[in-house]
mmCIF file of all heavy atoms in Angstrom:
data_model
loop_
_atom_site.group_PDB
_atom_site.id
_atom_site.type_symbol
_atom_site.label_atom_id
_atom_site.label_comp_id
_atom_site.label_asym_id
_atom_site.label_seq_id
_atom_site.Cartn_x
_atom_site.Cartn_y
_atom_site.Cartn_z
ATOM 1 N N THR A 1 5.353 -8.315 11.957
ATOM 2 C CA THR A 1 4.337 -8.408 10.952
ATOM 3 C C THR A 1 4.387 -7.660 9.658
ATOM 4 O O THR A 1 4.742 -6.405 9.859
ATOM 5 C CB THR A 1 2.971 -8.132 11.623
ATOM 6 O OG1 THR A 1 2.831 -8.924 12.742
ATOM 7 C CG2 THR A 1 1.884 -8.390 10.735
ATOM 8 N N VAL A 2 4.194 -8.106 8.516
ATOM 9 C CA VAL A 2 4.280 -7.355 7.307
ATOM 10 C C VAL A 2 2.856 -7.227 6.750
ATOM 11 O O VAL A 2 2.120 -8.139 6.666
ATOM 12 C CB VAL A 2 5.209 -8.094 6.319
ATOM 13 C CG1 VAL A 2 5.133 -7.412 4.950
ATOM 14 C CG2 VAL A 2 6.531 -8.357 6.817
ATOM 15 N N VAL A 3 2.545 -6.010 6.432
ATOM 16 C CA VAL A 3 1.243 -5.679 6.013
ATOM 17 C C VAL A 3 1.178 -5.636 4.563
ATOM 18 O O VAL A 3 1.995 -5.074 3.805
ATOM 19 C CB VAL A 3 0.808 -4.256 6.563
ATOM 20 C CG1 VAL A 3 -0.619 -3.931 6.047
ATOM 21 C CG2 VAL A 3 0.786 -4.338 8.113
ATOM 22 N N THR A 4 0.310 -6.301 3.802
ATOM 23 C CA THR A 4 0.084 -6.316 2.442
ATOM 24 C C THR A 4 -1.167 -5.567 1.890
ATOM 25 O O THR A 4 -1.453 -5.450 0.772
ATOM 26 C CB THR A 4 0.049 -7.753 1.839
ATOM 27 O OG1 THR A 4 -1.025 -8.448 2.483
ATOM 28 C CG2 THR A 4 1.380 -8.427 2.202
ATOM 29 N N GLU A 5 -1.957 -5.189 2.871
ATOM 30 C CA GLU A 5 -3.187 -4.481 2.497
ATOM 31 C C GLU A 5 -3.004 -2.931 2.662
ATOM 32 O O GLU A 5 -2.231 -2.452 3.534
ATOM 33 C CB GLU A 5 -4.420 -4.951 3.312
ATOM 34 C CG GLU A 5 -4.208 -4.647 4.912
ATOM 35 C CD GLU A 5 -5.037 -5.538 5.665
ATOM 36 O OE1 GLU A 5 -5.129 -6.669 5.294
ATOM 37 O OE2 GLU A 5 -5.483 -5.086 6.711
ATOM 38 N N LYS A 6 -3.736 -2.253 1.858
ATOM 39 C CA LYS A 6 -3.618 -0.737 1.983
ATOM 40 C C LYS A 6 -4.415 -0.158 3.165
ATOM 41 O O LYS A 6 -5.396 -0.738 3.619
ATOM 42 C CB LYS A 6 -4.265 -0.129 0.635
ATOM 43 C CG LYS A 6 -3.481 -0.482 -0.617
ATOM 44 C CD LYS A 6 -4.200 0.085 -1.792
ATOM 45 C CE LYS A 6 -3.462 -0.327 -3.114
ATOM 46 N NZ LYS A 6 -4.213 0.132 -4.324
ATOM 47 N N PRO A 7 -3.895 0.953 3.776
ATOM 48 C CA PRO A 7 -4.582 1.477 4.879
ATOM 49 C C PRO A 7 -5.839 1.997 4.548
ATOM 50 O O PRO A 7 -6.065 2.554 3.520
ATOM 51 C CB PRO A 7 -3.592 2.581 5.302
ATOM 52 C CG PRO A 7 -2.829 2.860 4.149
ATOM 53 C CD PRO A 7 -2.701 1.692 3.330
ATOM 54 N N LYS A 8 -6.768 1.919 5.537
ATOM 55 C CA LYS A 8 -8.171 2.454 5.267
ATOM 56 C C LYS A 8 -8.093 3.954 5.323
ATOM 57 O O LYS A 8 -7.466 4.551 6.158
ATOM 58 C CB LYS A 8 -9.093 1.927 6.348
ATOM 59 C CG LYS A 8 -9.327 0.394 6.268
ATOM 60 C CD LYS A 8 -10.328 -0.057 7.405
ATOM 61 C CE LYS A 8 -10.423 -1.531 7.245
ATOM 62 N NZ LYS A 8 -11.366 -2.087 8.246
ATOM 63 N N LEU A 9 -8.867 4.560 4.352
ATOM 64 C CA LEU A 9 -8.884 6.027 4.297
ATOM 65 C C LEU A 9 -10.285 6.489 4.464
ATOM 66 O O LEU A 9 -11.296 5.856 4.083
ATOM 67 C CB LEU A 9 -8.395 6.453 2.883
ATOM 68 C CG LEU A 9 -7.070 5.973 2.403
ATOM 69 C CD1 LEU A 9 -6.802 6.269 0.968
ATOM 70 C CD2 LEU A 9 -5.943 6.633 3.332
ATOM 71 N N THR A 10 -10.397 7.730 5.194
ATOM 72 C CA THR A 10 -11.714 8.307 5.374
ATOM 73 C C THR A 10 -11.957 8.996 3.994
ATOM 74 O O THR A 10 -11.144 9.296 3.178
ATOM 75 C CB THR A 10 -11.498 9.379 6.445
ATOM 76 O OG1 THR A 10 -10.529 10.383 6.108
ATOM 77 C CG2 THR A 10 -11.116 8.707 7.730
ATOM 78 N N SER A 11 -13.234 9.214 3.862
ATOM 79 C CA SER A 11 -13.807 9.788 2.535
ATOM 80 C C SER A 11 -13.280 11.187 2.373
ATOM 81 O O SER A 11 -13.170 11.998 3.319
ATOM 82 C CB SER A 11 -15.382 9.899 2.615
ATOM 83 O OG SER A 11 -15.746 10.655 3.591
ATOM 84 N N GLY A 12 -12.850 11.553 1.167
ATOM 85 C CA GLY A 12 -12.225 12.811 0.912
ATOM 86 C C GLY A 12 -10.898 12.964 1.087
ATOM 87 O O GLY A 12 -10.259 14.029 0.862
ATOM 88 N N THR A 13 -10.226 11.905 1.674
ATOM 89 C CA THR A 13 -8.761 11.930 1.834
ATOM 90 C C THR A 13 -7.995 11.346 0.588
ATOM 91 O O THR A 13 -8.425 10.234 0.193
ATOM 92 C CB THR A 13 -8.347 11.124 3.143
ATOM 93 O OG1 THR A 13 -9.121 11.590 4.208
ATOM 94 C CG2 THR A 13 -6.976 11.209 3.404
ATOM 95 N N GLU A 14 -6.997 12.010 0.199
ATOM 96 C CA GLU A 14 -6.156 11.575 -0.916
ATOM 97 C C GLU A 14 -5.305 10.343 -0.463
ATOM 98 O O GLU A 14 -4.827 10.511 0.698
ATOM 99 C CB GLU A 14 -5.344 12.683 -1.408
ATOM 100 C CG GLU A 14 -6.167 13.776 -2.270
ATOM 101 C CD GLU A 14 -6.796 13.198 -3.431
ATOM 102 O OE1 GLU A 14 -6.236 12.401 -4.156
ATOM 103 O OE2 GLU A 14 -7.969 13.653 -3.683
ATOM 104 N N PRO A 15 -5.214 9.336 -1.207
ATOM 105 C CA PRO A 15 -4.284 8.235 -0.775
ATOM 106 C C PRO A 15 -2.813 8.727 -0.715
ATOM 107 O O PRO A 15 -2.559 9.500 -1.550
ATOM 108 C CB PRO A 15 -4.612 7.217 -1.932
ATOM 109 C CG PRO A 15 -4.975 8.061 -3.136
ATOM 110 C CD PRO A 15 -5.786 9.169 -2.554
ATOM 111 N N PRO A 16 -2.154 8.357 0.318
ATOM 112 C CA PRO A 16 -0.717 8.775 0.435
ATOM 113 C C PRO A 16 0.100 8.064 -0.702
ATOM 114 O O PRO A 16 -0.293 7.054 -1.264
ATOM 115 C CB PRO A 16 -0.308 8.203 1.759
ATOM 116 C CG PRO A 16 -1.271 6.977 1.926
ATOM 117 C CD PRO A 16 -2.597 7.317 1.336
ATOM 118 N N VAL A 17 1.159 8.815 -0.996
ATOM 119 C CA VAL A 17 2.254 8.260 -2.092
ATOM 120 C C VAL A 17 3.025 7.269 -1.316
ATOM 121 O O VAL A 17 3.824 7.650 -0.435
ATOM 122 C CB VAL A 17 3.005 9.440 -2.551
ATOM 123 C CG1 VAL A 17 4.038 8.921 -3.547
ATOM 124 C CG2 VAL A 17 2.135 10.423 -3.205
ATOM 125 N N LEU A 18 2.966 6.039 -1.734
ATOM 126 C CA LEU A 18 3.738 5.054 -1.092
ATOM 127 C C LEU A 18 4.452 4.199 -2.124
ATOM 128 O O LEU A 18 4.256 4.206 -3.315
ATOM 129 C CB LEU A 18 2.674 3.925 -0.454
ATOM 130 C CG LEU A 18 1.737 4.505 0.694
ATOM 131 C CD1 LEU A 18 0.881 3.324 1.149
ATOM 132 C CD2 LEU A 18 2.600 4.914 1.893
ATOM 133 N N TYR A 19 5.522 3.582 -1.655
ATOM 134 C CA TYR A 19 6.235 2.594 -2.538
ATOM 135 C C TYR A 19 5.209 1.440 -2.758
ATOM 136 O O TYR A 19 4.194 1.339 -1.973
ATOM 137 C CB TYR A 19 7.400 2.018 -1.808
ATOM 138 C CG TYR A 19 8.534 2.961 -1.694
ATOM 139 C CD1 TYR A 19 8.722 3.725 -0.447
ATOM 140 C CD2 TYR A 19 9.478 3.095 -2.649
ATOM 141 C CE1 TYR A 19 9.754 4.540 -0.346
ATOM 142 C CE2 TYR A 19 10.477 3.992 -2.536
ATOM 143 C CZ TYR A 19 10.619 4.676 -1.429
ATOM 144 O OH TYR A 19 11.720 5.595 -1.313
ATOM 145 N N PRO A 20 5.332 0.657 -3.665
ATOM 146 C CA PRO A 20 4.355 -0.445 -4.034
ATOM 147 C C PRO A 20 4.262 -1.403 -2.770
ATOM 148 O O PRO A 20 5.223 -1.674 -2.106
ATOM 149 C CB PRO A 20 4.967 -1.237 -5.146
ATOM 150 C CG PRO A 20 5.819 -0.262 -5.789
ATOM 151 C CD PRO A 20 6.393 0.676 -4.777
ATOM 152 N N ASN A 21 2.981 -1.792 -2.453
ATOM 153 C CA ASN A 21 2.914 -2.675 -1.298
ATOM 154 C C ASN A 21 3.399 -4.122 -1.612
ATOM 155 O O ASN A 21 3.899 -4.298 -2.759
ATOM 156 C CB ASN A 21 1.481 -2.791 -0.813
ATOM 157 C CG ASN A 21 0.459 -3.342 -1.934
ATOM 158 O OD1 ASN A 21 1.015 -4.175 -2.657
ATOM 159 N ND2 ASN A 21 -0.725 -3.047 -1.814
ATOM 160 N N LEU A 22 3.630 -4.868 -0.503
ATOM 161 C CA LEU A 22 4.323 -6.149 -0.783
ATOM 162 C C LEU A 22 3.634 -7.154 -1.752
ATOM 163 O O LEU A 22 4.246 -7.868 -2.385
ATOM 164 C CB LEU A 22 4.454 -6.921 0.625
ATOM 165 C CG LEU A 22 5.495 -6.326 1.515
ATOM 166 C CD1 LEU A 22 5.514 -7.077 2.833
ATOM 167 C CD2 LEU A 22 6.937 -6.347 0.843
ATOM 168 N N ALA A 23 2.306 -6.945 -1.806
ATOM 169 C CA ALA A 23 1.649 -7.831 -2.815
ATOM 170 C C ALA A 23 2.087 -7.553 -4.254
ATOM 171 O O ALA A 23 2.277 -8.289 -5.075
ATOM 172 C CB ALA A 23 0.044 -7.568 -2.689
ATOM 173 N N GLU A 24 2.291 -6.157 -4.447
ATOM 174 C CA GLU A 24 2.798 -5.815 -5.772
ATOM 175 C C GLU A 24 4.350 -6.131 -5.890
ATOM 176 O O GLU A 24 4.790 -6.277 -7.003
ATOM 177 C CB GLU A 24 2.648 -4.214 -5.951
ATOM 178 C CG GLU A 24 1.115 -3.950 -6.093
ATOM 179 C CD GLU A 24 0.790 -2.449 -5.976
ATOM 180 O OE1 GLU A 24 1.703 -1.746 -5.263
ATOM 181 O OE2 GLU A 24 -0.131 -1.989 -6.510
ATOM 182 N N LEU A 25 4.955 -6.158 -4.784
ATOM 183 C CA LEU A 25 6.453 -6.453 -4.827
ATOM 184 C C LEU A 25 6.696 -7.886 -5.004
ATOM 185 O O LEU A 25 8.017 -8.241 -5.083
ATOM 186 C CB LEU A 25 7.063 -5.942 -3.452
ATOM 187 C CG LEU A 25 7.608 -4.421 -3.533
ATOM 188 C CD1 LEU A 25 8.207 -4.199 -2.106
ATOM 189 C CD2 LEU A 25 8.602 -4.280 -4.605
ATOM 190 N N GLU A 26 5.736 -8.767 -4.970
ATOM 191 C CA GLU A 26 6.102 -10.171 -5.150
ATOM 192 C C GLU A 26 6.742 -10.583 -6.416
ATOM 193 O O GLU A 26 7.375 -11.565 -6.432
ATOM 194 C CB GLU A 26 4.885 -10.993 -4.821
ATOM 195 C CG GLU A 26 4.413 -10.956 -3.392
ATOM 196 C CD GLU A 26 3.211 -11.875 -3.151
ATOM 197 O OE1 GLU A 26 2.768 -12.578 -4.149
ATOM 198 O OE2 GLU A 26 2.710 -11.897 -2.035
ATOM 199 N N ASN A 27 6.692 -9.659 -7.378
ATOM 200 C CA ASN A 27 7.402 -9.955 -8.609
ATOM 201 C C ASN A 27 8.423 -8.808 -8.940
ATOM 202 O O ASN A 27 8.834 -8.624 -10.035
ATOM 203 C CB ASN A 27 6.425 -10.117 -9.880
ATOM 204 C CG ASN A 27 5.661 -11.333 -9.713
ATOM 205 O OD1 ASN A 27 6.072 -12.378 -9.474
ATOM 206 N ND2 ASN A 27 4.378 -11.190 -9.961
ATOM 207 N N TYR A 28 8.675 -8.079 -7.748
ATOM 208 C CA TYR A 28 9.620 -6.949 -7.962
ATOM 209 C C TYR A 28 10.925 -7.419 -8.345
ATOM 210 O O TYR A 28 11.487 -8.350 -7.895
ATOM 211 C CB TYR A 28 9.752 -6.119 -6.642
ATOM 212 C CG TYR A 28 10.671 -4.933 -6.739
ATOM 213 C CD1 TYR A 28 10.390 -3.856 -7.416
ATOM 214 C CD2 TYR A 28 11.863 -5.139 -6.012
ATOM 215 C CE1 TYR A 28 11.169 -2.818 -7.407
ATOM 216 C CE2 TYR A 28 12.781 -4.079 -6.076
ATOM 217 C CZ TYR A 28 12.478 -2.854 -6.824
ATOM 218 O OH TYR A 28 13.295 -1.842 -6.784
#
């Protein structure tokens, strides 16, 4: 399974530094 949605974050947590997700990679 390939995930295209961002992981859910708890309040106050900084989003992790990720490579672009697959939705953004569709025109990579």
Side-chain angles (χ1 to χ4, degrees):
T1 302
V2 176
V3 178
T4 58
E5 61 205 35
K6 296 179 182 178
K8 293 182 180 179
L9 302 172
T10 58
S11 59
T13 303
E14 290 297 321
V17 178
L18 298 177
Y19 290 95
N21 63 28
L22 284 179
E24 294 167 332
L25 271 180
E26 287 186 2
N27 291 313
Y28 178 73

